[in-house]
Amino acid sequence: MAKNNDQRDIEKDLGERIAPMAEALEVLKAFADGFATTFKHLFRKPITEQYPEYKRPLPERTRARIILTRDPDGGERCVACYLCSAVCPVSCISMQSGEREDGRRYAAWFRINFGRCIYCGLCEEACPTSAIQLTPDFEMCKREILSLVYEKKDLLVDHGGKDKEYNFYQYAGVVTDVGDKGAHIQEEKPVNIKSNLP
Ligand code: SF4
Ligand code: SF4
């Protein structure tokens, strides 16, 4: 049965009265939830960590102090490819590449300005050799801003960090001058592009 105009007016009027009440109830519920949480915590034992006497263990993936790691053979992982420095959004990594007698590249010097670093982790993501890694060590605050410029000797460690087993040159060739493409571990033979021709 079709509603007449009076019925429609009554429903509209009712709707307009109920809407603010519903909103007020929602606000009251939010307040009640908030106070309930506060009240609950009043009776809980407080958790106070006595830093620096107690240092809470942080997850391995925490992004703080940066290190340059070594492969399982003890060699420097960094091949001075400049990828970390290219990807760094604040340009705080600089280096100079060098080449050993066997043709392998290395970083003659490597510098990170921690005064600029925003610990975004992009350098670690970009590194093909797993050399550069961020660690959970965040206690490196200094008063003297220039002492936040770390040289290679300050960055290089004697372990593999998070990626202990990875050895870039096991895959890419221990000596860069020998071994054809596809001759190394887990490497596939290169595709003969002419074989794809019709
Ligand atoms: S963590 Fe980010 S800002 Fe810091 S050196 Fe790496 S890429 Fe640059
Ligand atoms: S730390 Fe990694 S990304 Fe940066 S230059 Fe060395 S190998 Fe390349």
Side-chain angles (χ1 to χ4, degrees):
M1 198 170 66
K3 293 178 182 173
N4 59 32
N5 285 345
D6 285 348
Q7 275 178 314
R8 282 200 199 96
D9 286 347
I10 291 169
E11 281 173 11
K12 192 175 161 206
D13 189 41
L14 207 59
E16 281 171 2
R17 282 168 194 244
I18 287 174
M21 284 169 64
E23 271 178 36
L25 276 176
E26 259 182 51
V27 172
L28 278 177
K29 185 173 172 308
F31 268 118
D33 284 348
F35 280 121
T37 306
T38 310
F39 194 69
K40 203 166 60 186
H41 282 273
L42 279 179
F43 300 101
R44 281 200 175 159
K45 197 176 164 214
I47 303 167
T48 307
E49 288 177 358
Q50 301 295 339
Y51 179 85
E53 288 78 17
Y54 170 74
K55 290 173 189 166
R56 188 199 291 201
L58 293 172
E60 200 181 32
R61 286 174 63 87
T62 306
R63 299 198 305 262
R65 191 174 110 94
I66 297 174
I67 52 171
L68 285 177
T69 60
R70 292 177 184 271
D71 62 30
D73 301 337
E76 290 177 24
R77 278 179 169 155
C78 179
V79 292
C81 66
Y82 292 91
L83 279 176
C84 54
S85 129
V87 80
C88 178
V90 292
S91 301
C92 67
I93 303 179
S94 49
M95 77 195 76
Q96 177 62 57
S97 65
E99 202 167 290
R100 295 191 330 203
E101 279 179 7
D102 59 6
R104 178 176 168 168
R105 285 166 61 103
Y106 73 102
W109 56 264
F110 195 106
R111 184 174 299 139
I112 299 181
N113 182 351
F114 283 107
R116 294 173 66 117
C117 178
I118 55 171
Y119 304 98
C120 62
L122 286 178
C123 50
E124 184 173 348
E125 296 289 330
C127 182
T129 64
S130 209
I132 192 164
Q133 296 182 20
L134 282 83
T135 68
D137 177 16
F138 60 88
E139 294 174 308
M140 52 188 298
C141 184
K142 305 248 171 72
R143 279 189 185 278
E144 181 58 51
I145 191 82
L146 284 180
S147 59
L148 285 170
V149 178
Y150 279 45
E151 299 293 339
K152 184 173 165 183
K153 64 179 171 43
D154 309 313
L155 299 164
L156 193 62
V157 294
D158 58 0
H159 55 81
K162 284 174 267 193
D163 217 352
K164 293 183 178 42
E165 302 305 319
Y166 183 66
N167 189 335
F168 176 71
Y169 280 103
Q170 292 267 310
Y171 298 92
V174 175
V175 179
T176 51
D177 290 342
V178 299
D180 286 338
K181 286 182 182 171
H184 306 296
I185 300 169
Q186 292 188 359
E187 206 177 45
E188 291 180 6
K189 291 277 177 203
V191 174
N192 176 7
I193 47 167
K194 292 194 177 165
S195 70
N196 293 334
L197 292 175

